[in-house]
Structure formats: C-alpha cells, structure tokens
Amino acid sequence: MSRLVFITGGARSGKSGYAQRRCEELPGTLLYVATARVEDAEMAERVALHQQQRGERWALLEEPLDLAARLPDVTPGRSAVLLDCLTLWLTNQLFAAGEQPAPVIAAAEQLIETLRRLDIPIFVVSNEVGSGIVPDNALARTFRDLAGRVNQLFAASADEAWLLASGLPLRLK
C-alpha cells in the first residue's frame, strides 16, 4: 500500500514547497506530476520557476486529465510522486465533463483508488478554497463546492493530511 499524503492550503501558503521538501527527504528518483495547462506567458513563467526549483532527481509527467491511467505506468523505479496540483486537475476535469460535477467526483474516486494501489509515497497538493468569499456566479460556486468535496475525499483517504498557512504546516491527520 502507498503512503498517501494530502497537503492543502491557500494560494501562496507554501504547500508546494513543503511537499517538495518532504519528497526530497527520500532517496532516489522522484516524479513530479504537473496538471497545469500552460496557456499564457505568466503561467509559462510560473512553470519555469517551479522547474528551476527542482533538481536533476526529478522526472516530469505533464498530464492535465488522465492521471489514473498514466500513473501506474510511470511510477516504477520512483521513490515518491508529487502531484501538483489537484485543484488544477479538477478544473481540467470540470471543463472536460461539460461543467457537470458527477463525472469529476467519479474520476477523483478512481484516482484515489489508483494512488492507493501504488507502492510508493504519493504527495498530493490541493488548494483550500472554502475559506474565501462566496463566488458571485454559478460556475465558480460549482467549482468551489466540487473542490471542497474532492479535498474531503482525498483527506479522508490519506494516511496524513496537512494544512499550510503562512508557510507553516499544521497536521490535520
């Protein structure tokens, strides 16, 4: 069984850096799973900065949608996986599902099952979106509700769950 570590927090809370440090405590080759789609210059700059911050020990998988199918094939020989981030994957899933939450929940449940079957530590980073204001439009509210539900599923399935605030980790589970 894997060791599933769920790490959440607000934007710029330090969650990705914390997850990366946790992975780098382990020996061997690591796998960074990027779910973002690079569609503008600002996002390309963010991706380049993240890549600079990782050393040669890191392999990269860029997969915006089909994580459950791809991960079993690319994890053998890796010491740990850092999936960053679940929230962007949810965004991609929601749009691919025609903005319908049910298929996204099913995909998230399938992903959890897949991660639990992998025999290495998996660190999953996700944004905590429930602490902000109530969005002013239906799609944003749907996304907020979906992200909250999926975060709860991952946290409940995790061996460890962490909340990052101002760069400080608080263990939840």
Side-chain angles (χ1 to χ4, degrees):
M1 276 299 224
S2 74
R3 180 172 170 85
L4 184 57
V5 180
F6 180 71
I7 301 167
T8 191
R12 312 312 297 166
S13 64
K15 59 193 174 295
S16 293
Y18 177 74
Q20 182 176 331
R21 288 188 301 277
R22 292 281 308 269
C23 286
E24 290 174 345
E25 291 172 356
L26 301 168
T29 303
L30 306 167
L31 178 65
Y32 185 92
V33 179
T35 61
R37 293 179 188 221
V38 179
E39 297 178 345
D40 58 42
E42 187 268 340
M43 190 61 162
E45 192 173 304
R46 284 177 181 264
V47 167
L49 179 61
H50 269 273
Q51 289 172 343
Q52 276 183 334
Q53 294 170 342
R54 293 190 305 270
E56 292 182 14
R57 293 179 55 206
W58 288 93
L60 173 65
L61 170 64
E62 294 174 312
E63 179 52 60
L65 285 170
D66 205 2
L67 295 174
R70 299 275 315 273
L71 283 171
D73 294 332
V74 297
T75 56
R78 311 291 183 201
S79 299
V81 172
L82 170 50
L83 192 163
D84 196 359
C85 88
L86 187 64
T87 318
L88 289 173
W89 179 78
L90 285 172
T91 301
N92 299 336
Q93 289 289 326
L94 185 59
F95 287 127
E99 301 176 8
Q100 298 301 309
V104 181
I105 295 295
E109 290 171 340
Q110 180 183 19
L111 179 56
I112 290 168
E113 288 177 25
T114 299
L115 296 177
R116 297 297 298 171
R117 284 193 307 267
L118 299 176
D119 62 352
I120 59 174
I122 311 289
F123 296 81
V124 177
V125 174
S126 188
N127 288 293
E128 172 52 54
V129 298
S131 298
I133 61 172
V134 175
D136 69 347
N137 67 78
L139 178 58
R141 287 188 298 275
T142 296
F143 176 78
R144 184 226 27 216
D145 294 349
L146 180 62
R149 185 164 174 204
V150 169
N151 281 350
Q152 289 179 48
L153 289 172
F154 270 81
S157 297
D159 299 298
E160 294 177 33
W162 296 85
L163 173 68
L164 268 282
S166 301
L168 299 175
L170 174 64
R171 187 164 185 165
L172 303 174
K173 177 181 180 183

